[in-house]
Structures are given as structure tokens and as C-alpha cells.
Amino acid sequence: MKTITVQSINDKSKSYQFVDNGEPMRGGVKDVYFSPDKKYVVAIFRDKLDFNQKERLQKITNYYLPQIQSKEAGDYYLNEVYRWPTDIVEYNGLIGIIVPIYNSKFFFKKGYETSDLIQGKEKNGKWFAGAKFRNPKFPLKVAKSELGDWLSYFQVCVNLTRGVKKMHAMGLAHSDLSYNNVLIDPVEKSACMIDLDGLVVPGMFPAEVIGTAEFIAPEVLASKHLDKNDPNRKLPNRLTDLHALPILIYMFLLHRHPLKGGKVHDLDTEKDDLLSMGEKALFIEHPTNAMNRPKLDQVSKWDLPWADVNKLPYTLTGPYLKALFDKVFIDGLHNPMQRPTAEEWEIGLLKTTDLMQKCYNSSCEQKWYVFDNTNLPKCPFCGTPHKGTLPILDLYYQFKDAVWKPENHRLMVYDNQYLFQWHINRNTTRNEKLSTEQKVPVGYFTFHNNKWVLVNQKMTSLRDVTEDKEIPIGSMVELTDGKKLLLSKEEGGRVVVITMANK
């Protein structure tokens, strides 16, 4: 075992150390060594890099990294969403990159329910995307303590959408977004993108790989037989990221693949894969074309109940995500320009979390579900009906004097649900740039003396419009059917209209 010192290529005054015990961790193209203090790794490419590859790494570490550091929410991106390479080094004529170590939450504490085989291994997205690793009867089920609940995966997906949104805003594309290149921790509701040394800089550094099998966009697969310089050949870019991202979202929320269904195009498996993910790709839940529905007598028993699209259809993700899934897997599947942006996914995911209800069954695996807009809601996962009345708050904004328009945004109430600045005023956007102050709740809902009430914690101009009276800070207002509340008098302030469901 020896400690080796290497020098930075970007800044000759900097050096790094790594410990070589003769057995590095081997990635696809790199050997990975830990620094003595385990704060970073030195990942050395096994093959010599050409001028372009070296140039790309210099751009990523020297130009794009400072761009993230200097902008708003830089800490959030670099500590939470990315493991961004920070420097380039040379060792024995080979190029290496310095990457900060993964946060400890991204390593399994327990691993499998019944063995410690993957204990201490990284929490690659693959463990959480499929159905079998969460099937209680599967011999290698991931421990319950590692899986989180259904709501956790929404925040995981929000982190991923923000990561893609930021890259695209900087003019970059990921090119190989898949469950292998993200680490997730559902318990802490975290997700982090890794292996960021192959980013695509349009017009400068094209993609070096076409992607990972299940995540490659149909147009890339359908043209992969063409020469790289053929103008009809489609290579990974921003629009192919916008195909891979929703596949990840769909898999993390529904634990099945949106295009892998029952339709066989060719008896040769390789050709069949090429057609079913490429030229002939068809959404398994297409509302008017059922040709690719999964055939339950052909799916693995470990993939149930998630593989059953009749029992757990994609519509259970709520109206906002259903519309986005339709847009990407129906309209945009073979028409890349139609695909929703990463920001649209972020907004859809966050609005959906406002529709969440707690399941009343304490042994429900998922714990949460999206309100289905019926008068007698029940959990789609375990079938438990909602108990008691259910207040629904529809948000309205002032279009012009005395004209209020619906926002297409509603907030479902449950006991100890919070109200935030971004609910009461449309000029506050719920994104990564929120200040600490903006993240503090301004009120909360509770079931008190058999009544639903909103307790005002910080709203300076909360007003009961129906009864024409102010609700001062520290007091509460009862939620009743048809009641209107003005949440804020400031510009952008909203009114909510209350509907009581499940009466």
C-alpha cells in the first residue's frame, strides 16, 4: 500500500494524494482510488485520452464548475444534486479527475432485508427503480428501512429534474442519464447525479456513448446504424435527456418501464429490443392503442403488483403528471420537440405533492397517495378509504381588478399540513433558489374539536372573505364548504376557495 501524490493540470500549484493498495475500484473506463482522508477520489482513465476528451474535462472543471459556484443555489447543486469533477490530474501519462466523495447517506446501511451482501455499497438508482427489490417475498428484497415511502420518491425526482434543468440552462446535456448514473436515498429524500465527466457541449464536444439501454431515445436507436457524420444520425443531446428523465421519474414512481410491454416485434431478442425502444416504441399505457400492454401471464411474479397497469395505472400519479407523461410518451415519443422541459417536470412534481393524502392504514407500504378527485377517495395501493371530511383548497390569482382566475393548482389538507409562502403568493416560486426565510411555514392545518382549521402563524393579511373579517397572527379560521380566504393582500397574493369532500 502506497500513497501517491499527483499534480493538477489546471493549476500547477495544487496537488492531490491517493492511496494505491493495488486493487482500485474499477468503473467502466476508470480506476478509482481514495484520498488518505477519504474526502475525494482520484479516478484515472485506463486509456489515453485524445485532445478533445482532455479539453472537455478542462471545460467541465475550469469553466462550468465556477459557473455553478458563482450562481444562486450553487451549494445546493454541488452538495446535494451533483458530484461534479473539481480538477484534472496526470499520473503515469494517464489523465485522472478529482471528484468529491459521495455523501454517506448514499451508501446502504443495511442493504438487503435478509443478508448484508450490499451493506456499505452505493445506493445506485437501479435498486429503487424496479419492482422486484421491493417485493416482500423476493429473496433479495431491499430492507424496508432503506425504501422510504411513496412521497419520498417525489422529492428524489425533483432533485433529478433540477439537476437536468441546471445543465440545460448552462448549455450542457447529460447524454447518459439512467438509474446507473444517479444515487438516491429515499429515506432522506435525496438524489445525486454522478459520472459527470462525459457531458455534451453542443457544437464542441459530442456524446461519446449513445446512452444506457433502457433510457436511449427512440430517434437515437432508430438511426444508430448510420455513420456518425451522416446528417440523419441522431446523437444524444438536450432532447434525448428529456426522454431519459421521465423514464426515471416513471420508474421511481411506478417501478416499471414505460415502453417495455407485451408486444413482440421480432423473435430475435436484440432486434426486438431495438424496435421496441426505437422505431416502434409505444407507451405501455397508451389510452387508445393497447398493443403494448404488459401481459400478466408473461411478467415475473416478483414484478407484481406494479406490472399490472390496470391495478396501478399511471393516472394514480395525479392530473399534472398524467398530462406530462402523455406529452412525453405519446406526443413526444417520436417527436422530440414535443417533450416537456425539466422545469415542467419539476413544477408538475411539486404541484402533485400538494395533492397528497396520508393513507389511514398504518401497514400500507406506500403511506401516501394522490387525491383522485372523487368524493370518496381511497388509497390505490392498499384500498383503504379516507376517513372523515377532506378539505380541498383551490388557488385563485387576481387577473385584473375584481377578476380572479383559477391557478390549476390545489392544496389537499391533512392533519399538520403546512401552508408556505409559495402557496399564499404566486410571486414566490417554489424552487432551489428559495431563501431560508421563505422555507418557513406561514400557517398550518389541523383537525381541532371535530373541525378543520387553519392556524395563522405568519400571514399579515389573512382574511376570511366570506365572513368579511381579518384573521390575525396566532388565531385560527374554520374551513367550511364554499368559504373563501384571502391569503395575502400583497401583489401576487392568492385567494383559496374551500370544498369539503368525503362528507
Side-chain angles (χ1 to χ4, degrees):
M1 183 152 347
K2 51 187 180 192
T3 300
I4 292 163
T5 302
V6 283
Q7 213 173 14
S8 161
I9 292 177
N10 289 340
D11 178 351
K12 294 286 183 246
S13 66
K14 276 189 181 165
S15 63
Y16 300 89
Q17 289 189 317
F18 67 87
V19 178
D20 184 3
N21 62 358
E23 286 185 13
M25 296 197 305
R26 283 175 73 84
V29 292
K30 301 184 284 282
D31 289 337
V32 180
Y33 302 90
F34 286 93
S35 67
D37 61 4
K38 295 253 172 93
K39 286 209 169 126
Y40 58 85
V41 295
V42 182
I44 296 164
F45 289 87
R46 287 194 280 277
D47 295 328
K48 276 200 172 352
L49 300 190
D50 62 27
F51 174 77
N52 241 4
Q53 292 168 316
K54 202 169 151 180
E55 183 89 341
R56 178 202 312 258
L57 292 175
Q58 286 188 292
K59 259 284 201 250
I60 287 169
T61 53
N62 246 348
Y63 176 74
Y64 291 107
L65 176 64
Q67 235 185 313
I68 302 172
Q69 285 166 328
S70 64
K71 295 269 175 19
E72 263 185 306
D75 277 358
Y76 165 77
Y77 281 111
L78 294 174
N79 296 328
E80 180 68 11
V81 178
Y82 299 137
R83 272 297 164 262
W84 199 276
T86 56
D87 209 344
I88 321 175
V89 295
E90 195 167 355
Y91 176 62
N92 283 351
L94 295 171
I95 296 293
I97 51 173
I98 305 296
V99 186
I101 205 92
Y102 304 148
N103 190 305
S104 63
K105 65 187 169 189
F106 294 120
F107 295 94
F108 281 112
K109 289 176 184 62
K110 182 167 165 55
Y112 293 135
E113 196 74 79
T114 51
S115 84
D116 55 8
L117 264 180
I118 54 167
Q119 195 174 3
K121 294 262 194 304
E122 57 199 49
K123 295 184 185 177
N124 180 299
K126 194 166 62 212
W127 298 108
F128 304 94
K132 68 180 180 190
F133 292 117
R134 56 183 51 243
N135 187 313
K137 298 188 176 81
F138 187 61
L140 294 177
K141 178 195 184 291
V142 169
K144 211 175 194 168
S145 59
E146 309 267 18
L147 287 175
D149 56 39
W150 202 50
L151 184 55
S152 335
Y153 291 88
F154 281 79
Q155 187 56 49
V156 161
C157 293
V158 166
N159 271 13
L160 297 176
T161 59
R162 286 177 178 164
V164 174
K165 174 181 79 170
K166 179 73 174 170
M167 278 178 192
H168 290 179
M170 293 194 295
L172 297 166
H174 188 291
S175 84
D176 187 15
L177 190 57
S178 81
Y179 49 40
N180 290 325
N181 290 334
V182 299
L183 301 178
I184 78 166
D185 175 27
V187 179
E188 300 240 347
K189 305 176 176 53
S190 291
C192 170
M193 295 181 170
I194 58 171
D195 289 341
L196 298 176
D197 47 71
L199 298 175
V200 173
V201 185
M204 199 184 288
F205 306 117
E208 300 217 331
V209 291
I210 63 166
T212 302
E214 296 183 17
F215 298 87
I216 303 171
E219 65 274 16
V220 174
L221 276 181
S223 65
K224 93 181 189 103
H225 61 285
L226 300 172
D227 182 78
K228 252 195 171 169
N229 301 314
D230 188 315
N232 294 315
R233 172 81 192 262
K234 300 284 185 274
L235 290 169
N237 58 29
R238 191 181 65 82
L239 295 172
T240 63
D241 284 353
L242 296 179
H243 171 78
L245 175 66
I247 288 182
L248 270 178
I249 294 170
Y250 185 94
M251 290 187 82
F252 283 142
L253 297 181
L254 296 163
H255 311 298
R256 57 179 180 251
H257 194 286
L259 306 177
K260 284 186 151 184
K263 175 74 180 143
V264 177
H265 299 277
D266 198 297
L267 294 175
D268 175 332
T269 311
E270 206 170 311
K271 280 186 191 159
D272 186 56
D273 279 350
L274 202 58
L275 289 167
S276 63
M277 293 289 171
E279 188 192 336
K280 305 270 192 211
L282 174 67
F283 182 32
I284 62 170
E285 300 190 70
H286 195 294
T288 57
N289 182 346
M291 257 173 33
N292 199 23
R293 290 275 191 283
K295 295 184 169 66
L296 291 187
D297 55 350
Q298 291 172 6
V299 303
S300 155
K301 62 177 181 180
W302 307 121
D303 289 340
L304 293 168
W306 295 100
D308 186 344
V309 299
N310 294 321
K311 190 176 159 73
L312 296 174
Y314 76 119
T315 49
L316 63 79
T317 61
Y320 311 122
L321 294 187
K322 181 214 177 275
L324 289 169
F325 284 135
D326 286 347
K327 213 168 148 188
V328 71
F329 296 137
I330 299 173
D331 312 341
L333 194 55
H334 299 286
N335 188 350
M337 296 300 283
Q338 300 273 331
R339 292 171 191 160
T341 62
E343 188 171 21
E344 286 177 76
W345 283 104
E346 177 193 8
I347 292 166
L349 286 158
L350 290 170
K351 280 170 76 170
T352 303
T353 61
D354 280 343
L355 295 181
M356 287 287 184
Q357 273 298 312
K358 282 179 177 171
C359 178
Y360 274 82
N361 170 7
S362 57
S363 55
C364 176
E365 295 268 317
Q366 306 310 321
K367 307 267 183 270
W368 295 87
Y369 61 94
V370 175
F371 172 65
D372 63 1
N373 210 14
T374 62
N375 215 1
L376 298 167
K378 63 174 199 261
C379 172
F381 304 111
C382 70
T384 306
H386 178 85
K387 286 186 193 136
T389 54
L390 178 56
I392 302 166
L393 275 56
D394 283 296
L395 276 52
Y396 286 76
Y397 71 98
Q398 192 160 15
F399 179 62
K400 49 187 187 210
D401 279 355
V403 180
W404 292 79
K405 285 198 166 180
E407 287 262 19
N408 184 27
H409 186 173
R410 55 169 36 165
L411 182 64
M412 304 303 302
V413 171
Y414 51 83
D415 202 23
N416 292 328
Q417 154 82 310
Y418 287 115
L419 193 64
F420 288 95
Q421 191 65 42
W422 60 79
H423 293 128
I424 70 169
N425 193 308
R426 72 191 311 240
N427 293 340
T428 302
T429 307
R430 184 181 176 186
N431 60 21
E432 69 283 9
K433 294 174 184 163
L434 287 171
S435 66
T436 315
E437 196 182 340
Q438 287 171 323
K439 291 179 192 169
V440 176
V442 294
Y444 68 91
F445 300 95
T446 185
F447 196 59
H448 176 71
N449 291 341
N450 284 331
K451 292 178 185 147
W452 283 105
V453 295
L454 165 60
V455 179
N456 183 3
Q457 289 174 292
K458 281 182 174 295
M459 291 174 273
T460 50
S461 51
L462 177 61
R463 183 173 186 80
D464 183 335
V465 179
T466 309
E467 309 221 348
D468 193 22
K469 62 178 191 197
E470 303 289 328
I471 314 295
I473 290 175
S475 65
M476 59 173 99
V477 56
E478 187 187 345
L479 307 182
T480 54
D481 203 43
K483 178 165 285 201
K484 292 189 180 79
L485 299 174
L486 174 67
L487 301 177
S488 166
K489 270 188 196 145
E490 287 168 34
E491 194 189 333
R494 287 193 176 108
V495 159
V496 291
V497 178
I498 298 159
T499 308
M500 300 302 273
N502 213 41
K503 286 188 283 196

